[in-house]
Amino acid sequence: MSAETARSGAGGADAGTGEGAAARGGELERINPPHLAPPTGFSHAVRAAAGTMVFLAGQTALDGSGRIVGDGIVEQFERALTNLLEAAAAAGAGPSDIAKLTVFAVDVADYRRHARDLGRVWKRLVGGDFPAMAVIGATRLWDETALVEIEGIAVVR
């Protein structure tokens, strides 16, 4: 398969559908081969042009005083993602620079049940660019009251 047939864009109405051109800015290219199942809320691969990689430690829904906030998966996901974005910004990376995320969830079924709400949080905080992403079930996280933890890799241009 040629590189042209493997490329797809992120952002706009075609995000994650396997259609479109390279990602905005030309630095991170979302790749979704047409022979794979259409991705929903992630990209199959992300190719990064030259830049500095920033490794983002796992973030949970900790507030500034070190307490987990949020009663449910959606509230905790929003806080964990906000914390991750703040760490990325401190390193000079914006939301569209995130190339890879891993989400650890203590209840994957609950995560799936709230997928639409989680997607709305993502779009509000990050936009339509989807990184290569995985959701992994975990029996528990470092803080026993945490429901979700998010870690990632960004490429600063």
Side-chain angles (χ1 to χ4, degrees):
M1 165 175 43
S2 75
E4 283 304 309
T5 60
R7 290 184 187 159
S8 73
D14 66 344
T17 64
E19 303 170 359
R24 285 172 268 158
E27 299 293 335
L28 291 181
E29 179 183 7
R30 277 65 163 141
I31 301 170
N32 294 302
H35 64 280
L36 294 179
T40 302
F42 71 97
S43 292
H44 285 290
V46 177
R47 182 180 4 221
T52 301
M53 293 178 70
V54 176
F55 297 90
L56 301 163
Q59 298 293 322
T60 59
L62 288 175
D63 65 10
S65 66
R67 289 187 323 258
I68 294 290
V69 296
D71 294 328
I73 188 79
V74 176
E75 296 86 4
Q76 286 199 20
F77 178 86
E78 181 169 356
R79 182 58 186 240
L81 182 57
T82 298
N83 291 347
L84 184 101
L85 293 171
E86 288 179 9
S96 66
D97 297 323
I98 297 172
K100 170 78 173 95
L101 281 184
T102 304
V103 177
F104 299 93
V106 296
D107 186 344
V108 175
D110 188 41
Y111 186 95
R112 288 182 64 139
R113 274 192 301 276
H114 291 92
R116 288 189 190 272
D117 294 327
L118 296 169
R120 282 191 279 277
V121 168
W122 178 268
K123 287 186 178 180
R124 183 169 39 81
L125 296 178
V126 178
D129 289 334
F130 295 106
M133 183 184 292
V135 176
I136 298 173
T139 56
R140 71 175 289 273
L141 300 170
W142 182 260
D143 188 309
E144 293 183 22
T145 59
L147 302 175
V148 65
E149 183 170 336
I150 307 170
E151 69 174 16
I153 300 171
V155 178
V156 179
R157 300 175 285 251

